[in-house]
Amino acid sequence: PTDEPSSAYISAPMVGIFHIAEGLTSLGATVKAGQVVGAIESMKLMNDVVSQYDGVVAEVLVEDGAPVEYGQNLFRIELRSSG
């Protein structure tokens, strides 16, 4: 067992323009699995980006309004320990 928090990444499910969800631009913001953390605009449609993890935002890797590629990391999430 290690004392370092484990982390995971939320990545882009498609190519498009990334728009961050309100309230998640700050480090330390809490996210829950299933929560919408942003949207990707593709072909004039907004597609939700959903967190698969419970934890806190440790790093925002993409600016609001920036183009993203499929699979590009958007957020680093420090996972909540279950103990």
Side-chain angles (χ1 to χ4, degrees):
T2 161
D3 289 342
E4 288 188 30
S6 57
S7 57
Y9 291 90
I10 298 173
S11 56
M14 64 183 57
V15 173
I17 304 298
F18 179 66
H19 300 281
I20 196 165
E22 193 172 325
L24 287 181
T25 53
S26 59
L27 303 183
T30 301
V31 295
K32 297 207 174 296
Q35 177 180 344
V36 174
V37 295
I40 294 178
E41 184 179 350
S42 180
M43 298 177 67
K44 301 192 180 189
L45 295 173
M46 298 299 272
N47 301 278
D48 288 345
V49 178
V50 177
S51 175
Q52 304 95 312
Y53 312 104
D54 289 338
V56 296
V57 176
E59 205 172 352
V60 179
L61 303 168
V62 177
E63 289 184 22
D64 187 64
V68 295
E69 297 291 327
Y70 173 78
Q72 181 176 345
N73 290 334
L74 306 174
F75 296 93
R76 182 170 64 87
I77 304 298
E78 279 186 9
L79 302 177
R80 290 267 166 89
S81 60
S82 58

